[in-house]
Amino acid sequence: MSASLNAVSRLAQPAEGIAGKLSSRVSLPRRHSLHEAMWGWALIAPALIFLVVLFFLPVIGVFVIAFSDWQFGASSLSFVGLANFREVIFDEGFRASLINTVVYVVMVVPGTVLAGLLIALLIESSHSCRALYRAVHFLPFMATATAMAISWEALLHPTIGLVNHSLAALGLPVANWLRDETTALPVLAVIGIWQNLGYAMVLFMAGLKSIPLDLYDAADVDGADQWLDRLRTVTLPMLGPVSMFVVIVVALRAFETFDTIQILTQGGPGHSSEMLLFTIYRESFEYLRAGYGAAVAIVFLAIVVALTLLQARGMDKRVHYQ
């Protein structure tokens, strides 16, 4: 009888009490999720602050300066609209710098990718001195650009440089490599390939180690038992994601080349080795034309972003992901 009375009393509880219990159970997860969200925002706040201060605000400042005639040291500025961009479009020096940049990237990217892949394949095919070969080829990437450029300047010296002495000993013609309009840019491209070679090699070696051996066994069964057939049917397709990453990163590094130009050629002779990043520096900090330099920087940024997106979209269609 007492059990029946207890059941009836529970059924007779007010609806408000039941609703209150339900609301308390629902509000607890909401308070818990709000607490987690507050902690999440607190943890990412330093990174967001640094991102805004070091990236977004400078970008906004560059856009403001690009539409003005401000010069370094000036206490005031006046907006000139698109005058700086019109000057960029019709400036022969900018066109020469743009052409040099494109030619440099076209030489450096394929050369780095092909040489890095070849060296990675050679190191992986040999079982002796792997660590030594990896270190030797990766050291140029680890070296500072300034030290590397000074070393190359000594090697390429027209009278006492090792390169000309070696060529003369072999009976080959010598040249003033860094002061000749026909050789300055190709020499810089060779230095760029040498500098990025170790980075591409390490990434390709990591990609080679990730290829399942079962695929090579399956290729042998299908008749692809020669090294060229295995390379064409298994290795290169499976290295597609790594190749796309290497191409994009090396292209970005090639576009950002500045140190070697500043130390070795200063953009000369003439404008034969001047590239866009060096043009931005020269116009902004040597000629103190901050407005024009900011306009060149915006054009440079637009070109780099557009080419990167085109590379990623074009190569992604040909990539076989594992």
Side-chain angles (χ1 to χ4, degrees), residues 223-261:
D225 52 355
Q226 299 296 322
W227 70 270
L228 184 59
D229 295 330
R230 292 156 62 94
L231 178 68
R232 180 176 55 84
T233 59
V234 178
T235 305
L236 293 182
M238 298 304 294
L239 286 177
V242 177
S243 301
M244 182 177 69
F245 181 78
V246 171
V247 168
I248 293 175
V249 172
V250 173
L252 291 177
R253 286 175 59 86
F255 274 110
E256 296 171 357
T257 300
F258 171 78
D259 299 40
T260 53
I261 301 173

mmCIF file of all heavy atoms in Angstrom, residues 223-261:
data_model
loop_
_atom_site.group_PDB
_atom_site.id
_atom_site.type_symbol
_atom_site.label_atom_id
_atom_site.label_comp_id
_atom_site.label_asym_id
_atom_site.label_seq_id
_atom_site.Cartn_x
_atom_site.Cartn_y
_atom_site.Cartn_z
ATOM 1 N N GLY A 223 54.715 -6.892 -64.891
ATOM 2 C CA GLY A 223 55.719 -6.782 -65.950
ATOM 3 C C GLY A 223 56.576 -5.549 -65.899
ATOM 4 O O GLY A 223 57.459 -5.370 -66.740
ATOM 5 N N ALA A 224 56.351 -4.657 -64.919
ATOM 6 C CA ALA A 224 57.173 -3.450 -64.794
ATOM 7 C C ALA A 224 58.378 -3.776 -63.911
ATOM 8 O O ALA A 224 58.479 -3.326 -62.763
ATOM 9 C CB ALA A 224 56.355 -2.313 -64.201
ATOM 10 N N ASP A 225 59.303 -4.581 -64.451
ATOM 11 C CA ASP A 225 60.441 -5.035 -63.663
ATOM 12 C C ASP A 225 61.694 -4.192 -63.889
ATOM 13 O O ASP A 225 62.692 -4.359 -63.182
ATOM 14 C CB ASP A 225 60.754 -6.502 -63.965
ATOM 15 C CG ASP A 225 60.889 -6.758 -65.462
ATOM 16 O OD1 ASP A 225 60.640 -5.824 -66.246
ATOM 17 O OD2 ASP A 225 61.236 -7.888 -65.837
ATOM 18 N N GLN A 226 61.683 -3.291 -64.851
ATOM 19 C CA GLN A 226 62.819 -2.415 -65.089
ATOM 20 C C GLN A 226 62.693 -1.155 -64.219
ATOM 21 O O GLN A 226 61.583 -0.717 -63.888
ATOM 22 C CB GLN A 226 62.890 -2.017 -66.568
ATOM 23 C CG GLN A 226 63.069 -3.201 -67.514
ATOM 24 C CD GLN A 226 64.391 -3.909 -67.286
ATOM 25 O OE1 GLN A 226 65.404 -3.271 -67.018
ATOM 26 N NE2 GLN A 226 64.380 -5.227 -67.410
ATOM 27 N N TRP A 227 63.841 -0.555 -63.904
ATOM 28 C CA TRP A 227 63.810 0.584 -62.989
ATOM 29 C C TRP A 227 63.058 1.775 -63.573
ATOM 30 O O TRP A 227 62.374 2.502 -62.852
ATOM 31 C CB TRP A 227 65.242 0.995 -62.625
ATOM 32 C CG TRP A 227 66.002 1.619 -63.767
ATOM 33 C CD1 TRP A 227 66.773 0.991 -64.675
ATOM 34 C CD2 TRP A 227 66.034 3.023 -64.100
ATOM 35 N NE1 TRP A 227 67.301 1.885 -65.572
ATOM 36 C CE2 TRP A 227 66.870 3.148 -65.242
ATOM 37 C CE3 TRP A 227 65.463 4.164 -63.552
ATOM 38 C CZ2 TRP A 227 67.125 4.368 -65.842
ATOM 39 C CZ3 TRP A 227 65.711 5.380 -64.148
ATOM 40 C CH2 TRP A 227 66.543 5.474 -65.282
ATOM 41 N N LEU A 228 63.133 1.928 -64.891
ATOM 42 C CA LEU A 228 62.430 3.046 -65.506
ATOM 43 C C LEU A 228 60.924 2.830 -65.452
ATOM 44 O O LEU A 228 60.153 3.776 -65.212
ATOM 45 C CB LEU A 228 62.898 3.221 -66.947
ATOM 46 C CG LEU A 228 62.328 4.426 -67.706
ATOM 47 C CD1 LEU A 228 62.677 5.726 -66.981
ATOM 48 C CD2 LEU A 228 62.847 4.457 -69.134
ATOM 49 N N ASP A 229 60.484 1.591 -65.679
ATOM 50 C CA ASP A 229 59.059 1.288 -65.584
ATOM 51 C C ASP A 229 58.545 1.459 -64.158
ATOM 52 O O ASP A 229 57.449 1.986 -63.943
ATOM 53 C CB ASP A 229 58.797 -0.141 -66.065
ATOM 54 C CG ASP A 229 59.117 -0.320 -67.540
ATOM 55 O OD1 ASP A 229 58.989 0.655 -68.291
ATOM 56 O OD2 ASP A 229 59.511 -1.441 -67.925
ATOM 57 N N ARG A 230 59.338 1.025 -63.181
ATOM 58 C CA ARG A 230 58.938 1.194 -61.783
ATOM 59 C C ARG A 230 58.887 2.669 -61.405
ATOM 60 O O ARG A 230 57.984 3.098 -60.669
ATOM 61 C CB ARG A 230 59.926 0.445 -60.880
ATOM 62 C CG ARG A 230 59.866 -1.058 -61.024
ATOM 63 C CD ARG A 230 61.180 -1.711 -60.592
ATOM 64 N NE ARG A 230 61.481 -1.459 -59.207
ATOM 65 C CZ ARG A 230 61.159 -2.276 -58.201
ATOM 66 N NH1 ARG A 230 60.495 -3.400 -58.476
ATOM 67 N NH2 ARG A 230 61.487 -1.993 -56.968
ATOM 68 N N LEU A 231 59.818 3.436 -61.933
ATOM 69 C CA LEU A 231 59.821 4.874 -61.658
ATOM 70 C C LEU A 231 58.588 5.548 -62.250
ATOM 71 O O LEU A 231 57.956 6.395 -61.613
ATOM 72 C CB LEU A 231 61.096 5.500 -62.217
ATOM 73 C CG LEU A 231 61.254 7.017 -62.061
ATOM 74 C CD1 LEU A 231 61.428 7.396 -60.593
ATOM 75 C CD2 LEU A 231 62.448 7.513 -62.876
ATOM 76 N N ARG A 232 58.244 5.148 -63.467
ATOM 77 C CA ARG A 232 57.139 5.798 -64.174
ATOM 78 C C ARG A 232 55.783 5.372 -63.642
ATOM 79 O O ARG A 232 54.861 6.194 -63.587
ATOM 80 C CB ARG A 232 57.253 5.485 -65.666
ATOM 81 C CG ARG A 232 56.165 6.098 -66.532
ATOM 82 C CD ARG A 232 56.439 5.792 -68.004
ATOM 83 N NE ARG A 232 56.588 4.366 -68.225
ATOM 84 C CZ ARG A 232 55.555 3.532 -68.413
ATOM 85 N NH1 ARG A 232 54.311 3.998 -68.400
ATOM 86 N NH2 ARG A 232 55.767 2.248 -68.612
ATOM 87 N N THR A 233 55.632 4.115 -63.257
ATOM 88 C CA THR A 233 54.315 3.597 -62.873
ATOM 89 C C THR A 233 54.042 3.645 -61.374
ATOM 90 O O THR A 233 52.874 3.659 -60.969
ATOM 91 C CB THR A 233 54.162 2.146 -63.356
ATOM 92 O OG1 THR A 233 55.211 1.345 -62.778
ATOM 93 C CG2 THR A 233 54.238 2.066 -64.872
ATOM 94 N N VAL A 234 55.089 3.665 -60.555
ATOM 95 C CA VAL A 234 54.889 3.612 -59.105
ATOM 96 C C VAL A 234 55.475 4.843 -58.404
ATOM 97 O O VAL A 234 54.757 5.583 -57.724
ATOM 98 C CB VAL A 234 55.505 2.327 -58.500
ATOM 99 C CG1 VAL A 234 55.321 2.325 -56.980
ATOM 100 C CG2 VAL A 234 54.881 1.091 -59.110
ATOM 101 N N THR A 235 56.764 5.079 -58.599
ATOM 102 C CA THR A 235 57.457 6.090 -57.791
ATOM 103 C C THR A 235 56.921 7.491 -58.051
ATOM 104 O O THR A 235 56.527 8.207 -57.113
ATOM 105 C CB THR A 235 58.968 6.044 -58.062
ATOM 106 O OG1 THR A 235 59.455 4.721 -57.828
ATOM 107 C CG2 THR A 235 59.689 7.012 -57.159
ATOM 108 N N LEU A 236 56.921 7.908 -59.304
ATOM 109 C CA LEU A 236 56.502 9.283 -59.604
ATOM 110 C C LEU A 236 55.038 9.542 -59.265
ATOM 111 O O LEU A 236 54.716 10.598 -58.687
ATOM 112 C CB LEU A 236 56.792 9.606 -61.071
ATOM 113 C CG LEU A 236 58.280 9.675 -61.448
ATOM 114 C CD1 LEU A 236 58.430 10.040 -62.911
ATOM 115 C CD2 LEU A 236 59.017 10.698 -60.572
ATOM 116 N N PRO A 237 54.096 8.626 -59.598
ATOM 117 C CA PRO A 237 52.708 8.888 -59.191
ATOM 118 C C PRO A 237 52.529 8.973 -57.677
ATOM 119 O O PRO A 237 51.773 9.822 -57.190
ATOM 120 C CB PRO A 237 51.943 7.695 -59.770
ATOM 121 C CG PRO A 237 52.761 7.238 -60.924
ATOM 122 C CD PRO A 237 54.177 7.458 -60.514
ATOM 123 N N MET A 238 53.226 8.125 -56.922
ATOM 124 C CA MET A 238 53.074 8.153 -55.478
ATOM 125 C C MET A 238 53.771 9.365 -54.835
ATOM 126 O O MET A 238 53.469 9.733 -53.709
ATOM 127 C CB MET A 238 53.614 6.857 -54.868
ATOM 128 C CG MET A 238 52.877 5.614 -55.318
ATOM 129 S SD MET A 238 51.103 5.694 -55.008
ATOM 130 C CE MET A 238 51.079 5.690 -53.228
ATOM 131 N N LEU A 239 54.704 9.974 -55.555
ATOM 132 C CA LEU A 239 55.361 11.180 -55.060
ATOM 133 C C LEU A 239 54.619 12.450 -55.450
ATOM 134 O O LEU A 239 55.138 13.548 -55.253
ATOM 135 C CB LEU A 239 56.801 11.255 -55.586
ATOM 136 C CG LEU A 239 57.815 10.297 -54.963
ATOM 137 C CD1 LEU A 239 59.166 10.464 -55.641
ATOM 138 C CD2 LEU A 239 57.949 10.513 -53.465
ATOM 139 N N GLY A 240 53.419 12.301 -55.996
ATOM 140 C CA GLY A 240 52.665 13.461 -56.448
ATOM 141 C C GLY A 240 52.421 14.507 -55.372
ATOM 142 O O GLY A 240 52.712 15.705 -55.579
ATOM 143 N N PRO A 241 51.895 14.149 -54.190
ATOM 144 C CA PRO A 241 51.679 15.177 -53.152
ATOM 145 C C PRO A 241 52.971 15.858 -52.713
ATOM 146 O O PRO A 241 52.996 17.078 -52.506
ATOM 147 C CB PRO A 241 51.049 14.378 -52.005
ATOM 148 C CG PRO A 241 50.442 13.184 -52.650
ATOM 149 C CD PRO A 241 51.336 12.849 -53.802
ATOM 150 N N VAL A 242 54.055 15.070 -52.563
ATOM 151 C CA VAL A 242 55.328 15.665 -52.166
ATOM 152 C C VAL A 242 55.835 16.608 -53.253
ATOM 153 O O VAL A 242 56.338 17.703 -52.962
ATOM 154 C CB VAL A 242 56.368 14.559 -51.872
ATOM 155 C CG1 VAL A 242 57.724 15.164 -51.538
ATOM 156 C CG2 VAL A 242 55.888 13.682 -50.729
ATOM 157 N N SER A 243 55.712 16.192 -54.505
ATOM 158 C CA SER A 243 56.177 17.032 -55.609
ATOM 159 C C SER A 243 55.423 18.348 -55.651
ATOM 160 O O SER A 243 56.028 19.420 -55.862
ATOM 161 C CB SER A 243 56.013 16.288 -56.940
ATOM 162 O OG SER A 243 56.739 15.080 -56.937
ATOM 163 N N MET A 244 54.107 18.304 -55.449
ATOM 164 C CA MET A 244 53.322 19.533 -55.459
ATOM 165 C C MET A 244 53.769 20.462 -54.337
ATOM 166 O O MET A 244 53.940 21.670 -54.544
ATOM 167 C CB MET A 244 51.834 19.216 -55.314
ATOM 168 C CG MET A 244 50.946 20.454 -55.367
ATOM 169 S SD MET A 244 49.174 20.090 -55.295
ATOM 170 C CE MET A 244 49.053 19.521 -53.600
ATOM 171 N N PHE A 245 54.006 19.918 -53.147
ATOM 172 C CA PHE A 245 54.456 20.738 -52.019
ATOM 173 C C PHE A 245 55.827 21.349 -52.303
ATOM 174 O O PHE A 245 56.060 22.528 -52.040
ATOM 175 C CB PHE A 245 54.497 19.886 -50.754
ATOM 176 C CG PHE A 245 54.930 20.642 -49.529
ATOM 177 C CD1 PHE A 245 54.047 21.475 -48.867
ATOM 178 C CD2 PHE A 245 56.219 20.518 -49.048
ATOM 179 C CE1 PHE A 245 54.446 22.183 -47.744
ATOM 180 C CE2 PHE A 245 56.630 21.221 -47.925
ATOM 181 C CZ PHE A 245 55.736 22.056 -47.273
ATOM 182 N N VAL A 246 56.747 20.546 -52.844
ATOM 183 C CA VAL A 246 58.096 21.043 -53.132
ATOM 184 C C VAL A 246 58.041 22.157 -54.176
ATOM 185 O O VAL A 246 58.724 23.191 -54.042
ATOM 186 C CB VAL A 246 59.002 19.891 -53.603
ATOM 187 C CG1 VAL A 246 60.330 20.422 -54.124
ATOM 188 C CG2 VAL A 246 59.250 18.918 -52.463
ATOM 189 N N VAL A 247 57.258 21.984 -55.218
ATOM 190 C CA VAL A 247 57.164 22.998 -56.275
ATOM 191 C C VAL A 247 56.652 24.318 -55.707
ATOM 192 O O VAL A 247 57.206 25.399 -55.984
ATOM 193 C CB VAL A 247 56.259 22.495 -57.415
ATOM 194 C CG1 VAL A 247 55.904 23.635 -58.368
ATOM 195 C CG2 VAL A 247 56.944 21.379 -58.190
ATOM 196 N N ILE A 248 55.597 24.266 -54.887
ATOM 197 C CA ILE A 248 55.009 25.493 -54.355
ATOM 198 C C ILE A 248 55.980 26.189 -53.402
ATOM 199 O O ILE A 248 56.192 27.412 -53.481
ATOM 200 C CB ILE A 248 53.677 25.185 -53.653
ATOM 201 C CG1 ILE A 248 52.641 24.731 -54.695
ATOM 202 C CG2 ILE A 248 53.163 26.401 -52.893
ATOM 203 C CD1 ILE A 248 51.329 24.301 -54.098
ATOM 204 N N VAL A 249 56.606 25.426 -52.505
ATOM 205 C CA VAL A 249 57.513 26.032 -51.524
ATOM 206 C C VAL A 249 58.751 26.611 -52.205
ATOM 207 O O VAL A 249 59.191 27.738 -51.907
ATOM 208 C CB VAL A 249 57.902 25.001 -50.451
ATOM 209 C CG1 VAL A 249 58.993 25.560 -49.548
ATOM 210 C CG2 VAL A 249 56.688 24.613 -49.625
ATOM 211 N N VAL A 250 59.337 25.861 -53.143
ATOM 212 C CA VAL A 250 60.532 26.352 -53.825
ATOM 213 C C VAL A 250 60.192 27.578 -54.672
ATOM 214 O O VAL A 250 60.991 28.527 -54.759
ATOM 215 C CB VAL A 250 61.150 25.234 -54.682
ATOM 216 C CG1 VAL A 250 62.287 25.774 -55.542
ATOM 217 C CG2 VAL A 250 61.675 24.124 -53.785
ATOM 218 N N ALA A 251 59.023 27.590 -55.298
ATOM 219 C CA ALA A 251 58.618 28.765 -56.077
ATOM 220 C C ALA A 251 58.468 29.988 -55.183
ATOM 221 O O ALA A 251 58.901 31.090 -55.548
ATOM 222 C CB ALA A 251 57.309 28.478 -56.809
ATOM 223 N N LEU A 252 57.870 29.819 -54.011
ATOM 224 C CA LEU A 252 57.738 30.950 -53.086
ATOM 225 C C LEU A 252 59.107 31.445 -52.627
ATOM 226 O O LEU A 252 59.348 32.657 -52.546
ATOM 227 C CB LEU A 252 56.891 30.536 -51.883
ATOM 228 C CG LEU A 252 55.405 30.286 -52.154
ATOM 229 C CD1 LEU A 252 54.706 29.805 -50.890
ATOM 230 C CD2 LEU A 252 54.729 31.546 -52.667
ATOM 231 N N ARG A 253 60.013 30.515 -52.329
ATOM 232 C CA ARG A 253 61.359 30.931 -51.929
ATOM 233 C C ARG A 253 62.088 31.630 -53.073
ATOM 234 O O ARG A 253 62.865 32.562 -52.847
ATOM 235 C CB ARG A 253 62.153 29.712 -51.460
ATOM 236 C CG ARG A 253 61.730 29.196 -50.095
ATOM 237 C CD ARG A 253 62.488 27.913 -49.753
ATOM 238 N NE ARG A 253 63.921 28.139 -49.753
ATOM 239 C CZ ARG A 253 64.626 28.594 -48.718
ATOM 240 N NH1 ARG A 253 64.006 28.901 -47.589
ATOM 241 N NH2 ARG A 253 65.934 28.748 -48.801
ATOM 242 N N ALA A 254 61.860 31.179 -54.297
ATOM 243 C CA ALA A 254 62.499 31.829 -55.443
ATOM 244 C C ALA A 254 61.964 33.247 -55.640
ATOM 245 O O ALA A 254 62.727 34.176 -55.941
ATOM 246 C CB ALA A 254 62.278 30.994 -56.705
ATOM 247 N N PHE A 255 60.669 33.435 -55.469
ATOM 248 C CA PHE A 255 60.099 34.779 -55.577
ATOM 249 C C PHE A 255 60.653 35.705 -54.505
ATOM 250 O O PHE A 255 60.735 36.924 -54.714
ATOM 251 C CB PHE A 255 58.574 34.728 -55.469
ATOM 252 C CG PHE A 255 57.877 34.469 -56.769
ATOM 253 C CD1 PHE A 255 57.244 33.263 -57.004
ATOM 254 C CD2 PHE A 255 57.848 35.428 -57.756
ATOM 255 C CE1 PHE A 255 56.595 33.020 -58.204
ATOM 256 C CE2 PHE A 255 57.201 35.205 -58.963
ATOM 257 C CZ PHE A 255 56.575 33.998 -59.183
ATOM 258 N N GLU A 256 61.017 35.156 -53.356
ATOM 259 C CA GLU A 256 61.466 35.984 -52.228
ATOM 260 C C GLU A 256 62.976 36.183 -52.204
ATOM 261 O O GLU A 256 63.526 36.629 -51.189
ATOM 262 C CB GLU A 256 61.016 35.333 -50.917
ATOM 263 C CG GLU A 256 59.500 35.275 -50.762
ATOM 264 C CD GLU A 256 59.080 34.436 -49.574
ATOM 265 O OE1 GLU A 256 59.981 33.859 -48.912
ATOM 266 O OE2 GLU A 256 57.871 34.338 -49.316
ATOM 267 N N THR A 257 63.666 35.855 -53.269
ATOM 268 C CA THR A 257 65.125 35.994 -53.300
ATOM 269 C C THR A 257 65.529 37.455 -53.169
ATOM 270 O O THR A 257 65.083 38.311 -53.937
ATOM 271 C CB THR A 257 65.685 35.423 -54.613
ATOM 272 O OG1 THR A 257 65.335 34.037 -54.700
ATOM 273 C CG2 THR A 257 67.198 35.557 -54.656
ATOM 274 N N PHE A 258 66.360 37.725 -52.201
ATOM 275 C CA PHE A 258 66.826 39.091 -51.979
ATOM 276 C C PHE A 258 68.295 39.133 -51.548
ATOM 277 O O PHE A 258 69.081 39.929 -52.082
ATOM 278 C CB PHE A 258 65.958 39.794 -50.933
ATOM 279 C CG PHE A 258 66.489 41.126 -50.499
ATOM 280 C CD1 PHE A 258 66.322 42.238 -51.304
ATOM 281 C CD2 PHE A 258 67.167 41.262 -49.303
ATOM 282 C CE1 PHE A 258 66.828 43.474 -50.924
ATOM 283 C CE2 PHE A 258 67.671 42.486 -48.904
ATOM 284 C CZ PHE A 258 67.497 43.600 -49.717
ATOM 285 N N ASP A 259 68.675 38.294 -50.601
ATOM 286 C CA ASP A 259 70.005 38.387 -49.987
ATOM 287 C C ASP A 259 71.119 38.225 -51.008
ATOM 288 O O ASP A 259 72.078 39.013 -51.016
ATOM 289 C CB ASP A 259 70.149 37.333 -48.884
ATOM 290 C CG ASP A 259 69.124 37.518 -47.777
ATOM 291 O OD1 ASP A 259 67.981 37.837 -48.086
ATOM 292 O OD2 ASP A 259 69.485 37.319 -46.607
ATOM 293 N N THR A 260 71.004 37.217 -51.859
ATOM 294 C CA THR A 260 72.072 36.983 -52.832
ATOM 295 C C THR A 260 72.190 38.134 -53.822
ATOM 296 O O THR A 260 73.298 38.495 -54.242
ATOM 297 C CB THR A 260 71.821 35.668 -53.579
ATOM 298 O OG1 THR A 260 70.489 35.676 -54.127
ATOM 299 C CG2 THR A 260 71.966 34.475 -52.650
ATOM 300 N N ILE A 261 71.067 38.722 -54.203
ATOM 301 C CA ILE A 261 71.112 39.863 -55.127
ATOM 302 C C ILE A 261 71.769 41.060 -54.459
ATOM 303 O O ILE A 261 72.633 41.730 -55.042
ATOM 304 C CB ILE A 261 69.689 40.225 -55.599
ATOM 305 C CG1 ILE A 261 69.034 39.034 -56.298
ATOM 306 C CG2 ILE A 261 69.720 41.420 -56.530
ATOM 307 C CD1 ILE A 261 67.589 39.261 -56.641
#
